[in-house]
Amino acid sequence: MTEEKVVLVNEKDEKIGLMPKMEAHEKALLHRAFSVFVFNDKNELMIQQRALHKYHSPGLWTNTCCSHQRDGENNIDAGKRRLQEEMGFSTDLKETISFIYKAPFDNGLTEHEYDHMLVGKYNDDPNINPDEVAAWKWMSMEAVEKDMKANPSIYTEWFKIIFDKFQKHLTL
């Protein structure tokens, strides 16, 4: 199986090439990504714990799902694809804002992403893919914020950045 490629972009989110995902993370090159945030009718956020064997941030809690767009795939289609692959359901998504972040990891890899935030609504239980997700739960935004301050080491870097800087954009 060939390694998935990410879309390399400039700071205007214009495509400048393709590269295998691991190589892009090893070289800390800016690439396109998305983060999905799904809320229920109680305005609780569905968060997931990343599978324990993931190549970075294993076992950490994060937003509903996230990944990288494939070449030629728009943000909404990419978000819906990955939501189905990781969490086992589909729902309508809307784009909110985008931002660039860079986060190095202990294993020598670096996330340097042009991240597109996508928001959706869903009220049922997911059917998680154990290859991707270890656990999931619904949490109020207030509870996430409080727990993130008390236990920052159990959350992914990008989730902490989004929560700190872009929380107000997480609305339907």
Side-chain angles (χ1 to χ4, degrees), residues 46-48 63-65 82-90 122 125-129 132-133 135-137:
M46 180 185 290
I47 65 172
Q48 66 151 284
N63 51 290
T64 313
C65 81
R82 198 63 186 157
L83 193 57
Q84 185 67 52
E85 291 169 359
E86 287 189 26
M87 303 303 287
F89 70 89
S90 184
Y122 187 74
D125 290 349
N127 181 20
I128 61 171
N129 176 350
E132 300 290 339
V133 180
W136 72 278
K137 59 186 170 183

Side-chain angles (χ1 to χ4, degrees), residues 9 17 19 24 26 28 47 60-61 65-66 76 83 86 89 96 100 109 111 124 142 151 165-166 168:
V9 296
M19 183 176 281
E26 288 165 355
I47 65 172
L60 297 184
W61 288 92
C65 81
C66 53
I76 297 294
L83 193 57
E86 287 189 26
F89 70 89
T96 60
I100 294 173
L109 301 177
E111 284 284 21
D124 295 320
E142 298 78 18
N151 304 292
K165 296 183 178 176
F166 304 107
K168 67 180 180 244

Side-chain angles (χ1 to χ4, degrees), residues 9 16 22 41 45-46 50-51 55 66 72 77 81-82 90 93 95 111 134 136 143 146 150 156 162 164 171:
V9 296
I16 58 173
M22 287 302 287
D41 286 339
L45 175 63
M46 180 185 290
R50 290 170 59 85
Y55 69 95
C66 53
D77 288 345
R81 171 184 52 82
R82 198 63 186 157
S90 184
L93 298 173
E95 292 189 55
E111 284 284 21
W136 72 278
K146 184 177 179 182
T156 63
I162 290 169
D164 182 47
T171 59

